[in-house]
Amino acid sequence: MQKAFLVDGSICLGCNTCAMACKNQYHQDTGILWRKVREVGAEDYLIDNNNILPTLVSYQKAPKVKMPMERFYFSLACNHCENPACVAICPVGAHTKDPETGICKHDQTICIGCGGCVKACPFGASKFNAKMGQAEKCSMCWERQADGKTTACVQACPVGAIAIIDLHDPKYKEYANASPVGIDYAINAETHPSTRFILPSMPKEIYRQPKG
Amino acid sequence: MSYSKEKVDTLLHNGISRRNFLKGLAASGVLSSFPGGLLEANEDLNTKIPYLGEKSYETFRNACPRNCYDTCSIKTFVKDGVMQFIEGAQESTYTRGGCCVKGNSYVKRVYSARRLKYPMLQVGGKGSGQWKRISWDDAMEIIAKKLLEIKKDDGTMLGAALTKYSGNFGITHYGIEGMFNSIGYTTRLAGTPCWPAGIDAQNLDMGNMWCNDPEEMKDSKFIILWGVNPASNSVHSMKYIYEAKKKGAKVVVIDPVFTEMASKSTQYIQIKTGTDGLLALGMQKIIIDAKLHDQKWLDANSKGFKELKEYLDKDIKLDDVSKVTGIPLEMIKELALSFAKAKPATIWMGYGMQRHTNGGSMIRAIDALVAVTGNVGKYAGGARYGHLSTWGFNYAALSMPKPEGSVGYTGPEGAKGEFAQVGGEKAAYTDRFLNINKTARELLNSKDPKVRLLWVACKNPFAQDFDRNQLIRAFKQLDMVVVADQFFNETAKWADIVLPVATQFEENDVNVSYWHYWLSLNEQAIKPIFEVKSDVQIAALLSKHMNKLEKGSCTFPQSVDTKEMTIKEFNPGIYTQFGIKSWEELKNGPVKAKAVIPYADGKFQTPSGKYEFYSEKALELFGSALPKYLEVRKPYDKFRMTSPHSRWSLHSQFQNLEWMEDVHPEPSVYINPDDAKMKMVNEGDTVAVFNKQGLLRLKAKITDNVQPGTVLMYEQWYNNNIYNVNELVDDTSSDMGAFKTGAPGVALHDTFVNFRKI
Amino acid sequence: MKNKIEENALPLSKRLQMSKTLRDIFTSQDSHALKIAFDALKSKMAISEESLESDFNRYFIGPLSPIADPFSSIYLDNLDQVMSKSTLKVRALYETMGFTFPQQNQIPDDHIGIELDAYYQLLYIEEVKNIDYLRELRHYFLHEHLNLWIPLFIERALACNEEPSTAMVYILTQLKSFLIRETNTQGVPA
């Protein structure tokens, strides 16, 4: 099994309910968001302010379509990669990849705060909490999932723009082999991020007032 | 080291060693030896281990009482008496398990260190910043004395004024008005800054404001979202719109702004602001000319269709419609005809559209378009604006008798607000009503008797009302200003006494929506933190002190339990409507009212009993029987400013929380690229936006989401930021509102400004 | 240096007295109680009850954002929030010490006044009743909790440049000295 977020940019409202639902559940400290709603085509797409260093594998290209300001979004958290860089680099085993679900978990009771994962993650998913001197990130609400619930973000999204899928399930075949499309984002990343995207598009007919 | 960190940590986290330690504690004699203080010896040592094992939560039913379409049903998770997180109730198909971005910040709001914690008195005078902590008893005694002094001096209580609006729409919060009812005839800031012109319009047309269930929209074949932006401000409605779209319905957005909703539509039509009424009239003309109107429905259910048609034939020129609205005629025709052919079709009208000097007339014109096509009274159809059909509570907290011998106002009577209108026989006296939308001016000009005490509850006038400089003058000249709130804001700054108010998690209440049809119980989930009290408990305490000073001077119960107050609000009508036997069933989750299609029985509460295109009442009150086109306010400065609601806040609530700052830190002004170029403003520049009312400085964002000639700023209250868009708004009235809500609305979106780079 | 050692050898009754006075200052709810507790610090400062309280409220109470919020969660959890992780940690400590807190969930357990109350009571059973059972927990409380945030609290309060209050500076200095003395007297290496 490889659990993955399926992010539907065609219906995402950019309302940030998912990001706040994550805070509501885990009470992340001020300035830290495990889930971030990123505007398609916006500048901050290219950098992650929460990272100590610019990511080593940068987002390669902004989306090709120029989208209007503050209207189209992808909600992103940890990509729960097939070959996670955080797991590889963590010297104490605080990052693990669950062999059953494929979820990349982070255990803060073990984390020594070396910051390796924060630098290694191509997507800025691991955040460094300076106050605690430790890393932290989305662990796909594995405790909630083990309890039979879905993740906080999926449950809270008012339009179902985030879903949990299993990339190994034939039902989701159409997504399984596709590179993470949509934002050309880290297409060649060796970590093989699991997040999949449905692309946004502009309304079929748009009429704007003529100039002057 | 005189202690071992590891050892103590183990003690705290390991169940067995902790249990053993606690056993030894009892044996050591410690418990009988503590000298005593705020902490007391725990004589009943609990050796259970609350720190081990899986999460176990106590859950409670709550509801979001904010002024919002969605009025979410909430489930709250509490551990050891501390609120941990919330979820949307799964039982409500509308809330469907999730609150919005604001609702998800509630834990932060409840436990914000910024909350008002104690009653305080501003000893150095209003605005001095010198505060003294006082007990609740002292606070209430000071206020009670002032009220009795007013009564003694004036012979009436009219010198005491209440301004309360939409900070909390929980039913027991009408106990605030109840508190004022219970002391005599008083002065009320009446009306609503929100939606009054549209309420009047719908009442003139249909005798009520009554919308179809939003969940029906999933089966609509054609949806026009007219000046409404649910993608931002009613996110739970979006799933129905998406479902309809998926099933092939056309979703058209008509809006001056390319909104979040527009970006998710099938067709977006940008219209010139304030011309929507004319577009609707033009569409009707096209539809009637093409004989696509529903003659059968009109014959049976309407009054004045003939007069409407004559007006359309004579006065509405399609070329003019195209020119004035800025929309090509072919596009208007195509829109009109496809709307008329789709059945059922529906139009949802936003509240922003009626915040114009011609707002009510625009809603009437669009209502008429829905009626002409026979979509009124149909499943998945309707001219949607809002409804109050599930608000039939007892208003027990509101309905307080006047103290014996009370003397009041003898002038013309006004209405009492849109939600709870007190019935009963006509009294010799009434309260005095001042226009809430001209608060500053009305307070300054009040006389015979002058307003001397103002009580502010569920409202932040300095953020939401208009003409700020006058407002400061008005507050300063009052003898006493009492502000009951959850946070310190600019209104509290100009108060004499601030009173800390409970959140919905710290009290019991019951909630319904003005949009969907669900009923939610709100249970007290946690102890009120610090010294906060619910509004009705404050009223009870005031009553206790009034009666202590002068027996019989206040009829409000002197002690209340918010749960008992809540239970008193239920009645057989509510039980029947929602199909429950007792309020206690709501502990299992929210319930929905039995489905009724508004006006499906053809009964309208208009004078004629029919849909009135031609309304004598409208002629009498507003000078036009038909929904005639009325030109919008003329510009008085270079650019139109529009100030819609932000998705990060509900008026002045939520944006002040740190969690919200993490997703949305600061205000911006949105400027069209053409205008920005002309003014040499670049993205991120700080600009001054100014007009005759005031000046704001903020960052510019350049986008063609707004049309040339218009700037957009969201209406919000930030923590540690002086930004307040209402400083640029004057208090010019909209056309309607006085009929049903006591005062006309405000033409907020008819504000004009200029801007320059700083 | 000699002077400092003498100060460190403060008689126990004074040490107890100081912890009680500081507790009383931070748990006071009106100007009169605050003034009595403040006078017990023997500052020789002439200040009216009203100005003392107005300053105190500006620093620690509100209704405007106080200069320094008196809760450990603000400093340890980096939040503008009460009732968070460190509050609950303090709660667990109190429970282990055998305290119950009637105002639990109403006043955050980590309010400075409550913490000083705990500390005073713990000292009391050691010094007056000669019971050592909780000594280790008291030390832990001092070093692993009080010392982690109260210095930050004092620092934040003292950093106030806008109309600094001499009375508040005096209280904070006394609190600081008390904490230093407690830390040093107990001989824990820095």
Side-chain angles (χ1 to χ4, degrees):
Chain A
M1 199 192 298
Q2 176 58 57
K3 288 203 177 192
F5 290 115
L6 175 62
V7 178
D8 189 345
S10 72
I11 57 172
C12 175
L13 308 172
C15 69
N16 272 272
T17 296
C18 49
M20 196 62 89
C22 185
K23 282 214 153 198
N24 163 54
Q25 185 72 63
Y26 299 107
H27 299 203
Q28 291 125 38
D29 287 348
T30 302
I32 296 181
L33 294 166
W34 293 352
R35 177 166 287 282
K36 213 168 171 182
V37 178
R38 292 174 185 271
E39 189 186 332
V40 173
E43 291 277 311
D44 79 335
Y45 212 36
L46 303 170
I47 39 159
D48 187 323
N49 295 327
N50 284 321
N51 261 337
I52 299 173
L53 295 171
T55 52
L56 299 182
V57 181
S58 62
Y59 303 115
Q60 296 186 341
K61 271 183 260 170
K64 285 168 198 130
V65 190
K66 193 174 169 342
M67 292 298 209
M69 179 187 279
E70 294 178 9
R71 294 295 179 263
F72 296 96
Y73 302 86
F74 286 124
S75 169
L76 296 171
C78 171
N79 291 312
H80 301 279
C81 300
E82 304 240 21
N83 304 314
C86 52
V87 174
I89 203 161
C90 182
V92 293
H95 285 281
T96 52
K97 184 163 180 66
D98 189 307
E100 199 200 322
T101 59
I103 295 174
C104 297
K105 299 178 185 171
H106 180 249
D107 184 346
Q108 224 165 11
T109 62
I110 300 174
C111 177
I112 54 167
C114 69
C117 56
V118 180
K119 291 172 199 159
C121 175
F123 316 109
S126 269
K127 314 289 179 193
F128 193 75
N129 184 327
K131 191 83 184 175
M132 294 179 63
Q134 284 185 315
E136 54 183 83
K137 75 168 194 57
C138 156
S139 295
M140 212 187 255
C141 289
W142 66 270
E143 298 99 331
R144 279 179 63 103
Q145 292 205 53
D147 241 12
K149 292 186 153 204
T150 185
T151 62
C153 51
V154 169
Q155 177 165 339
C157 178
V159 294
I162 314 173
I164 308 281
I165 58 169
D166 172 11
L167 292 183
H168 298 168
D169 184 337
K171 210 162 72 180
Y172 301 109
K173 206 167 59 204
E174 52 175 318
Y175 302 113
N177 298 323
S179 279
V181 290
I183 42 177
D184 291 358
Y185 142 127
I187 272 181
N188 302 317
E190 288 163 7
T191 62
H192 296 302
S194 71
T195 308
R196 295 294 185 266
F197 300 89
I198 296 171
L199 292 172
S201 60
M202 289 285 272
K204 277 185 218 134
E205 302 164 75
I206 291 186
Y207 171 74
R208 288 180 206 272
Q209 290 287 324
K211 290 188 182 192
Chain B
M1 275 295 216
S2 56
Y3 72 100
S4 149
K5 183 173 184 301
E6 289 70 27
K7 198 176 140 198
V8 180
D9 281 340
T10 309
L11 195 58
L12 291 174
H13 300 297
N14 178 300
I16 297 160
S17 49
R18 186 157 180 278
R19 189 158 46 215
N20 288 335
F21 184 83
L22 289 173
K23 278 180 186 154
L25 184 67
S28 71
V30 163
L31 297 176
S32 52
S33 305
F34 281 136
L38 292 164
L39 295 166
E40 293 170 6
N42 187 353
E43 304 291 353
D44 181 24
L45 272 186
N46 182 1
T47 48
K48 273 198 320 260
I49 292 91
Y51 305 97
L52 285 179
E54 19 178 294
K55 300 168 206 159
S56 54
Y57 300 99
E58 240 186 307
T59 59
F60 296 87
R61 295 291 172 179
N62 288 98
C64 185
R66 310 275 87 93
N67 180 355
C68 174
Y69 287 106
D70 289 14
T71 308
C72 285
S73 308
I74 297 174
K75 195 168 178 181
T76 304
F77 293 74
V78 174
K79 190 173 192 302
D80 301 328
V82 181
M83 201 174 140
Q84 299 292 323
F85 64 95
I86 64 158
E87 285 184 357
Q90 303 274 14
E91 294 82 0
S92 162
T93 49
Y94 187 81
T95 304
R96 205 183 65 181
C99 296
C100 75
V101 64
K102 303 173 282 292
N104 275 299
S105 71
Y106 267 130
V107 179
K108 180 71 192 178
R109 177 172 169 139
V110 169
Y111 294 126
S112 168
R114 300 279 73 80
R115 274 188 76 179
L116 289 174
K117 305 178 184 76
Y118 320 102
M120 306 219 31
L121 175 70
Q122 193 158 203
V123 285
K126 297 184 191 80
S128 69
Q130 270 182 286
W131 293 87
K132 178 180 168 62
R133 186 169 159 189
I134 51 176
S135 68
W136 273 103
D137 282 328
D138 287 348
M140 290 300 129
E141 193 180 298
I142 295 169
I143 299 165
K145 275 188 177 153
K146 174 55 75 181
L147 287 168
L148 293 170
E149 178 195 316
I150 288 171
K151 189 162 81 171
K152 190 157 169 264
D153 291 353
D154 299 343
T156 84
M157 271 291 185
L158 293 168
L162 172 68
T163 185
K164 180 228 172 191
Y165 191 53
S166 68
N168 189 322
F169 271 158
I171 301 300
T172 68
H173 284 260
Y174 290 97
I176 299 166
E177 285 91 336
M179 171 175 74
F180 263 61
N181 285 337
S182 72
I183 58 172
Y185 294 98
T186 57
T187 296
R188 308 298 177 83
L189 277 305
T192 146
C194 181
W195 55 345
I199 293 181
D200 276 12
Q202 289 227 309
N203 272 282
L204 294 169
D205 294 337
M206 294 173 267
N208 199 351
M209 170 184 66
W210 189 17
C211 62
N212 292 52
D213 180 355
E215 299 180 39
E216 289 171 6
M217 278 192 292
K218 68 182 190 327
D219 294 321
S220 302
K221 294 290 188 312
F222 200 113
I223 301 174
I224 298 181
L225 298 160
W226 206 318
V228 70
N229 186 12
S232 189
N233 303 111
S234 177
V235 292
H236 295 86
S237 294
M238 287 303 293
K239 53 183 172 287
Y240 308 111
I241 296 170
Y242 278 153
E243 195 179 333
K245 193 176 162 194
K246 213 170 172 180
K247 290 196 289 194
K250 189 159 189 184
V251 176
V252 177
V253 170
I254 301 172
D255 202 304
V257 180
F258 181 73
T259 58
E260 288 85 350
M261 185 63 244
S263 74
K264 303 294 179 289
S265 64
T266 32
Q267 183 181 19
Y268 167 63
I269 298 174
Q270 191 166 62
I271 186 167
K272 278 191 191 151
T273 309
T275 65
D276 307 73
L278 187 60
L279 176 62
L281 292 166
M283 286 169 71
Q284 286 161 60
K285 186 182 168 83
I286 293 163
I287 289 165
I288 296 165
D289 288 351
K291 307 220 175 333
L292 284 170
H293 58 291
D294 190 337
Q295 191 66 52
K296 206 173 131 209
W297 186 87
L298 291 166
D299 288 346
N301 299 294
S302 76
K303 178 197 163 193
F305 178 65
K306 195 172 129 262
E307 288 85 346
L308 173 74
K309 188 169 181 305
E310 278 166 16
Y311 166 68
L312 295 173
D313 288 344
K314 189 163 149 274
D315 292 327
I316 300 296
K317 306 270 177 294
L318 291 179
D319 286 338
D320 290 347
V321 172
S322 172
K323 210 172 118 199
V324 174
T325 60
I327 303 168
L329 187 55
E330 277 317 301
M331 190 177 289
I332 297 175
K333 281 184 176 162
E334 153 66 23
L335 175 68
L337 298 176
S338 57
F339 178 77
K341 285 175 194 160
K343 294 278 158 40
T346 187
I347 299 180
W348 178 357
M349 294 163 278
Y351 303 136
M353 189 166 35
Q354 46 97 55
R355 292 178 191 136
H356 287 283
T357 53
N358 60 351
S361 74
M362 295 204 280
I363 301 292
R364 284 202 73 199
I366 298 171
D367 282 349
L369 172 60
V370 181
V372 162
T373 53
N375 280 302
V376 170
K378 301 285 158 59
Y379 173 81
R384 296 159 191 266
Y385 185 72
H387 80 94
L388 298 171
S389 66
T390 52
W391 291 67
F393 295 91
N394 289 337
Y395 297 95
L398 169 81
S399 318
M400 296 292 161
K402 306 287 180 199
E404 226 167 279
S406 291
V407 176
Y409 190 58
T410 49
E413 196 183 3
K416 293 180 175 70
E418 71 273 39
F419 285 95
Q421 304 198 10
V422 195
E425 70 279 27
K426 205 151 172 79
Y429 299 113
T430 65
D431 290 325
R432 172 172 60 177
F433 297 99
L434 304 179
N435 182 350
I436 200 168
N437 294 323
K438 295 182 190 291
T439 297
R441 193 187 296 241
E442 293 270 68
L443 288 174
L444 283 167
N445 296 342
S446 77
K447 52 177 186 257
D448 304 324
K450 219 182 133 35
V451 171
R452 291 161 65 189
L453 178 144
L454 177 68
W455 187 298
V456 185
C458 299
K459 194 170 195 308
N460 180 358
F462 275 84
Q464 302 308 133
D465 287 350
F466 319 104
D467 213 344
R468 184 174 166 280
N469 293 329
Q470 281 228 63
L471 205 55
I472 294 176
R473 281 210 295 134
F475 269 52
K476 276 188 162 172
Q477 49 95 43
L478 292 164
D479 288 4
M480 185 179 290
V481 175
V482 180
V483 172
D485 209 323
Q486 293 173 350
F487 289 91
F488 191 88
N489 51 38
E490 214 201 338
T491 306
K493 183 178 161 188
W494 298 104
D496 294 288
I497 292 178
V498 294
L499 303 174
V501 173
T503 62
Q504 78 263 31
F505 302 98
E506 296 157 311
E507 65 183 11
N508 293 280
D509 209 344
V510 54
N511 298 75
V512 284
S513 157
Y514 50 73
W515 179 241
H516 64 66
Y517 283 84
W518 289 86
L519 167 67
S520 309
L521 186 67
N522 183 77
E523 299 178 293
Q524 181 175 341
I526 52 168
K527 267 194 209 172
I529 199 166
F530 299 106
E531 294 183 7
V532 303
K533 281 189 193 298
S534 80
D535 284 309
V536 286
Q537 287 169 328
I538 296 173
L541 199 59
L542 179 70
S543 182
K544 192 177 138 197
H545 283 273
M546 297 269 302
N547 281 294
K548 204 158 98 190
L549 292 166
E550 185 189 309
K551 206 165 181 319
S553 62
C554 178
T555 64
F556 205 91
Q558 295 183 35
S559 94
V560 299
D561 177 291
T562 59
K563 190 169 169 185
E564 282 166 25
M565 289 299 260
T566 304
I567 297 168
K568 277 190 196 164
E569 295 297 354
F570 289 89
N571 56 39
I574 291 282
Y575 288 154
T576 309
Q577 186 177 21
F578 286 94
I580 52 172
K581 290 198 175 64
S582 154
W583 66 271
E584 289 188 86
E585 286 180 43
L586 296 170
K587 288 179 179 174
N588 302 325
V591 294
K592 191 177 175 182
K594 290 177 191 158
V596 179
I597 309 297
Y599 315 115
D601 57 2
K603 287 183 185 142
F604 295 86
Q605 289 152 272
T606 50
S608 64
K610 292 177 185 294
Y611 183 100
E612 296 196 352
F613 294 108
Y614 187 95
S615 158
E616 267 114 24
K617 191 80 193 166
L619 182 64
E620 172 202 327
L621 292 171
F622 305 113
S624 171
L626 289 167
K628 283 187 182 167
Y629 173 58
L630 195 67
E631 250 182 76
V632 73
R633 186 183 189 182
K634 291 264 179 291
Y636 55 84
D637 214 324
K638 295 273 186 302
F639 297 88
R640 177 182 292 278
M641 183 193 84
T642 183
S643 53
H645 295 182
S646 150
R647 51 179 154 188
W648 317 115
S649 55
L650 223 147
H651 299 308
S652 63
Q653 299 175 325
F654 294 107
Q655 178 62 67
N656 62 315
L657 302 174
E658 268 190 9
W659 283 7
M660 202 59 81
E661 287 171 348
D662 277 347
V663 295
H664 179 74
E666 57 176 358
S668 313
V669 52
Y670 296 85
I671 303 171
N672 183 278
D674 293 349
D675 297 336
K677 200 172 162 194
M678 183 176 75
K679 293 275 188 176
M680 292 189 287
V681 169
N682 292 314
E683 178 83 18
D685 284 350
T686 302
V687 295
V689 183
F690 53 91
N691 64 9
K692 63 187 170 90
Q693 294 295 121
L695 180 148
L696 297 175
R697 290 181 187 83
L698 70 175
K699 268 194 194 147
K701 285 191 174 178
I702 317 294
T703 170
D704 64 358
N705 290 340
V706 293
Q707 57 181 277
T710 297
V711 298
L712 182 151
M713 283 181 265
Y714 289 108
E715 166 246 22
Q716 286 176 297
W717 173 59
Y718 290 80
N719 195 27
N720 303 321
N721 190 326
I722 57 163
Y723 170 78
N724 175 3
V725 75
N726 286 328
E727 282 182 33
L728 299 177
V729 177
D730 65 12
D731 58 3
T732 295
S733 294
S734 58
D735 53 347
M736 296 184 192
F739 173 35
K740 281 287 164 183
T741 72
V746 172
L748 280 157
H749 297 314
D750 288 332
T751 295
F752 295 87
V753 298
N754 202 342
F755 67 90
R756 67 181 150 75
K757 186 175 166 174
I758 325 188
Chain C
M1 199 60 207
K2 190 166 175 265
N3 200 8
K4 193 170 179 195
I5 290 162
E6 266 173 20
E7 213 180 273
N8 285 346
L10 199 66
L12 297 181
S13 59
K14 275 197 187 170
R15 175 187 181 197
L16 248 187
Q17 188 54 49
M18 182 54 91
S19 62
K20 187 165 177 289
T21 301
L22 288 168
R23 173 196 73 176
D24 291 347
I25 286 174
F26 285 102
T27 56
S28 67
Q29 297 194 11
D30 57 63
S31 31
H32 190 61
L34 174 63
K35 186 68 164 52
I36 291 173
F38 179 71
D39 288 345
L41 284 180
K42 301 195 173 61
S43 74
K44 298 193 185 94
M45 201 180 297
I47 181 164
S48 72
E49 276 183 14
E50 195 167 279
S51 337
L52 182 68
E53 199 211 334
S54 167
D55 283 356
F56 186 77
N57 291 345
R58 189 160 55 85
Y59 269 68
F60 310 119
I61 302 292
L64 285 84
S65 292
I67 292 161
D69 285 295
F71 311 99
S72 76
S73 59
I74 305 290
Y75 305 87
L76 299 181
D77 300 342
N78 194 19
L79 292 165
D80 194 7
Q81 185 169 346
V82 296
M83 303 300 280
S84 60
K85 283 170 266 180
S86 58
T87 318
L88 298 176
K89 195 184 165 196
V90 175
R91 176 179 297 183
L93 261 171
Y94 291 164
E95 281 172 10
T96 313
M97 290 163 179
F99 288 120
T100 127
F101 182 30
Q103 286 166 295
Q104 193 175 82
N105 291 330
Q106 186 189 352
I107 297 175
D109 312 67
D110 60 344
H111 182 281
I112 189 168
I114 313 302
E115 294 194 353
L116 288 170
D117 185 39
Y119 196 79
Y120 158 69
Q121 297 204 48
L122 292 169
L123 265 186
Y124 182 91
I125 53 165
E126 286 174 36
E127 306 300 343
V128 180
K129 300 285 178 178
N130 293 312
I131 300 171
D132 271 355
Y133 194 78
L134 292 179
R135 185 185 291 273
E136 190 170 11
L137 272 184
R138 178 174 62 79
H139 286 209
Y140 177 91
F141 185 46
L142 175 68
H143 294 282
E144 302 296 335
H145 183 71
L146 296 175
N147 272 344
L148 297 190
W149 79 273
I150 294 186
L152 300 173
F153 161 77
I154 294 171
E155 192 185 343
R156 189 179 294 181
L158 289 177
C160 163
N161 295 324
E162 213 173 299
E163 299 180 59
S165 153
T166 333
M168 293 310 117
V169 170
Y170 186 75
I171 292 171
L172 291 161
T173 321
Q174 292 296 309
L175 176 64
K176 193 173 177 179
S177 319
F178 173 73
L179 217 55
I180 291 170
R181 281 197 303 269
E182 282 304 305
T183 308
N184 292 344
T185 313
Q186 288 164 8
V188 180

